[in-house]
Amino acid sequence: MTDTNPDILVAGEALIDFLPDGPGPLSGVENFSRRAGGAPANVAVALARLDAVPWFWTRVGEDPFGDHLAETLASFGVPDRFVERDPAAKTALAFVSHDADADRAFTFYRDGTADTRVEPGGVPDEILDSVSWVYVGGVMLAADPGRTATLDLAERASERDCTVVFDPNARPELWDSDEEFATAVHEMLAYADVVKATPEDLAAAGFGSEDAEDESESPENLAASVVESGPHTVLLTLGGSGAFARSTDAAPWGSGAASHGGYEVESVADTTGAGDAFTAGALAAFATGTDREGGATTDPTDRSLSDLLGFANAVAAVTTTAPGAMTALPTREEVRQFRQ
């Protein structure tokens, strides 16, 4: 499927999530459901569902799990041009556990897997010349050659005036120390224009702490500390408290700040992929503009932070109403109906 001309490139891991049949520690789970996953893969599929089909650069094994991922991505309309297959490495796996509030934790099986083995130059310069937006995730920075390849991509994208969007996506199990993670994040911030993160992500990267009672760690102050490192826009997701955004004069949409309290969901089935859904909603709104109900608009200046947060929060909220990540991602029309 290469007869398309995306304006967005998503880069990062595609893996298999094994979801438990109930809440509780992983050691007590007897049955799992297999789901296609990986934060960048979720973002790519979510963008396709939101009528903003991207390129997706990833690498999966030539094994049954890789077959499932490739088939799933294709079924959602994600072009396969940069979906690489590795004959010498397995597809990465992640086992998910849920607590009573549907919050999740991950246990990864990712040592030497296919997604860690992408090489610099996998996306040629002419593709970067043709897109305006490049999204990268922090998991890819945890192992080489994937780390080097991801930094190389971000550097070349920045040189070509692409807007680089970065989600640190802290996963402590993948790193030897917080210091190693923080070093990698700050290396990527040299190229990032937009950062989407949680306060926990930023705390692991050395920006403040996870203490919600500490007034100095307010969303406003956290966002201010990140923009001092180079990015012109910060999007903070705050769980049940919604989201906060801040941008500087360097942002194409101008300086400003906004917050959105999120949406009540009567029955939360699964929060897996909700943050990725938010990212895709924000990216779709940035890239295409969005009217106040969430529909695409032809006006390139229609990118207010307030409207963007409302749309992105709605995409995330709808995603929590069904199990899985990709299977729960909504279309623009479903987001519009939810907001109404």
Side-chain angles (χ1 to χ4, degrees), residues 77-161:
V78 177
D80 62 1
R81 177 174 176 181
F82 299 110
V83 179
E84 301 175 359
R85 304 299 298 269
D86 192 326
K90 299 296 185 182
T91 300
L93 309 178
F95 287 81
V96 184
S97 57
H98 292 149
D99 64 18
D101 296 322
D103 287 334
R104 73 277 186 274
F106 294 87
T107 298
F108 290 92
Y109 291 79
R110 193 174 174 264
D111 290 341
T113 51
D115 60 310
T116 70
R117 287 158 52 95
V118 291
E119 295 281 352
V123 176
D125 289 344
E126 55 264 31
I127 290 295
L128 296 179
D129 288 332
S130 71
V131 300
S132 301
W133 303 81
V134 173
Y135 162 95
V136 297
V139 167
M140 290 299 293
L141 302 179
D144 265 323
R147 174 174 177 166
T148 299
T150 302
L151 289 166
D152 169 74
L153 176 73
E155 181 178 13
R156 290 187 293 122
S158 180
E159 290 171 350
R160 285 160 175 79
D161 294 326

Side-chain angles (χ1 to χ4, degrees), residues 26 80 107 163 199 214 241 246 270 274 283-284 292 306 313 326:
L26 199 62
D80 62 1
T107 298
T163 300
D214 187 345
S241 299
R246 173 175 174 170
D270 183 9
L283 185 49
R292 291 187 179 277
S306 179
N313 272 333
M326 294 181 186

Side-chain angles (χ1 to χ4, degrees):
M1 294 182 299
T2 57
D3 57 341
T4 186
N5 188 31
D7 195 38
I8 303 171
L9 170 72
V10 173
E13 73 279 2
L15 50 77
I16 299 293
D17 284 327
F18 284 91
L19 304 182
D21 60 358
L26 199 62
S27 59
V29 178
E30 293 188 0
N31 298 301
F32 296 87
S33 298
R34 179 200 64 183
R35 295 288 188 274
N42 293 337
V43 170
V45 169
L47 286 168
R49 296 278 287 167
L50 296 171
D51 303 324
V53 176
W55 295 119
F56 180 36
W57 182 35
T58 192
R59 190 174 179 91
V60 298
E62 285 189 358
D63 55 20
F65 290 134
D67 293 342
H68 176 64
L69 286 168
E71 292 164 4
T72 300
L73 291 167
S75 73
F76 284 108
V78 177
D80 62 1
R81 177 174 176 181
F82 299 110
V83 179
E84 301 175 359
R85 304 299 298 269
D86 192 326
K90 299 296 185 182
T91 300
L93 309 178
F95 287 81
V96 184
S97 57
H98 292 149
D99 64 18
D101 296 322
D103 287 334
R104 73 277 186 274
F106 294 87
T107 298
F108 290 92
Y109 291 79
R110 193 174 174 264
D111 290 341
T113 51
D115 60 310
T116 70
R117 287 158 52 95
V118 291
E119 295 281 352
V123 176
D125 289 344
E126 55 264 31
I127 290 295
L128 296 179
D129 288 332
S130 71
V131 300
S132 301
W133 303 81
V134 173
Y135 162 95
V136 297
V139 167
M140 290 299 293
L141 302 179
D144 265 323
R147 174 174 177 166
T148 299
T150 302
L151 289 166
D152 169 74
L153 176 73
E155 181 178 13
R156 290 187 293 122
S158 180
E159 290 171 350
R160 285 160 175 79
D161 294 326
C162 299
T163 300
V164 177
V165 181
F166 174 49
D167 179 357
N169 197 15
R171 295 287 182 258
E173 183 180 281
L174 297 176
W175 299 86
D176 291 335
S177 66
D178 283 349
E179 290 75 17
E180 183 188 20
F181 173 70
T183 297
V185 168
H186 282 269
E187 197 169 357
M188 180 59 75
L189 290 181
Y191 310 118
D193 301 295
V194 178
V195 172
K196 175 269 172 186
T198 67
E200 293 78 15
D201 291 334
L202 296 181
F207 294 98
S209 71
E210 299 180 24
D211 183 2
E213 303 301 321
D214 187 345
E215 292 185 0
S216 68
E217 308 306 337
S218 66
E220 294 85 350
N221 289 337
L222 280 175
S225 67
V226 175
V227 297
E228 288 176 359
S229 296
H232 58 58
T233 301
V234 177
L235 308 175
L236 288 179
T237 53
L238 307 171
S241 299
F244 174 82
R246 173 175 174 170
S247 60
T248 70
D249 289 334
W253 35 89
S255 64
S259 61
H260 188 281
Y263 297 90
E264 279 195 29
V265 176
E266 290 185 6
S267 179
V268 175
D270 183 9
T271 60
T272 303
D276 306 327
F278 175 94
T279 303
L283 185 49
F286 275 141
T288 67
T290 180
D291 61 29
R292 291 187 179 277
E293 292 184 351
T297 173
T298 58
D299 182 358
T301 65
D302 194 1
R303 292 176 172 86
S304 80
L305 291 177
S306 179
D307 289 346
L308 177 142
L309 290 181
F311 180 65
N313 272 333
V315 177
V318 176
T319 301
T320 68
T321 62
M326 294 181 186
T327 52
L329 294 167
T331 63
R332 273 191 185 263
E333 181 56 31
E334 288 169 340
V335 175
R336 190 197 305 273
Q337 292 175 4
F338 173 81
R339 298 183 80 184
Q340 290 176 344

